[in-house]
Amino acid sequence: MTRRIAIPLFPGFMPLDLVGPYDVLRFLPDTETVFVAAEPGVIAGADGGFGLQAQAGPADIESCDILLVPGGGGTRDYEARKPLIDWIARMHETTTWTTSVCTGSLLLGAAGILKDLDATTHWNAVEDLESHGAHYTADRVVRRGKVITAAGVSSGIDMALTLAGLIEGDDFAKAVQLWIEYDPQPPHDTGSVAKAGPELVRRTPELIREGGARRG
């Protein structure tokens, strides 16, 4: 039987949150991926400069084996995302694995999936995560039962490799990692709050906002 991966899209989603994991999980055998949105069509990602085609609406997908929820702009607008949140809750009842990347965990939390559960998210969304009854854990990937949450943006690749290993074994996951040549060697060792130091952590939201303002 074909394994179905369902990935919800919403305006302002963070592209790497889902493209990174997708590029790992697409190697799983007998697997299909469906992108789901309130209305089928092209959904614009962060800053409107990146779009993906949603092939289905929530009513079209009644179950999935793997649910992958990305984060991005608008994840905290729970009223606007209520139909999506209700669909996530329904999908969770059918999944083998329920996963999120970055602030996608807030949508899992709003769906009632993370209550009293250890989970992770982007470091700038910890209070939002815990408002849903989750227990924040600073690990890059956190697995509790069938629920796997990943921290910010790029950690989705780590999460997907973890999941690939759970499904097909470590040798398969290692082969995929080699095939996509995932061997991070960033120019700066500031990829986590613990490494960045308090001054950079304090200034980062402002620097990011200033960069966005200059982009127009």
Side-chain angles (χ1 to χ4, degrees), residues 78-120:
Y78 304 120
E79 188 61 34
R81 300 286 168 254
K82 190 176 187 309
L84 175 61
I85 291 167
D86 291 343
W87 177 80
I88 288 171
R90 294 198 305 273
M91 289 303 99
H92 178 61
E93 296 177 357
T94 73
T95 61
T96 303
W97 301 100
T98 296
T99 72
S100 68
V101 181
C102 197
T103 55
S105 60
L106 305 185
L107 296 176
L108 294 189
I113 294 168
L114 300 182
K115 186 172 176 56
D116 297 325
L117 214 62
D118 293 336
T120 192

Side-chain angles (χ1 to χ4, degrees), residues 117-123 125-126 129-130 134-139 151 193:
L117 214 62
D118 293 336
T120 192
T121 191
H122 190 278
W123 58 266
V126 173
L129 177 68
E130 292 187 331
H135 305 299
Y136 172 70
T137 301
D139 294 335
V193 169

Side-chain angles (χ1 to χ4, degrees), residues 7 12-24 45-46 50 52 68-72 100-102 140 150-160 180 182:
I7 304 177
F13 71 86
M14 185 65 72
L16 186 57
D17 282 8
L18 62 88
V19 173
Y22 167 80
D23 213 27
V24 171
F50 181 101
L52 283 175
L68 170 60
V69 181
S100 68
V101 181
C102 197
R140 191 162 169 82
V153 193
S154 64
S155 63
I157 300 173
D158 301 61
M159 182 277 291
I180 66 172
Y182 180 54

Side-chain angles (χ1 to χ4, degrees), residues 3 9 33 41 48 53 66 75 91 103 118 126-127 135 151 163 196:
R3 178 187 294 110
L9 300 177
T33 301
Q53 178 77 32
I66 299 171
T75 50
M91 289 303 99
T103 55
D118 293 336
V126 173
E127 290 185 6
H135 305 299
L163 182 56

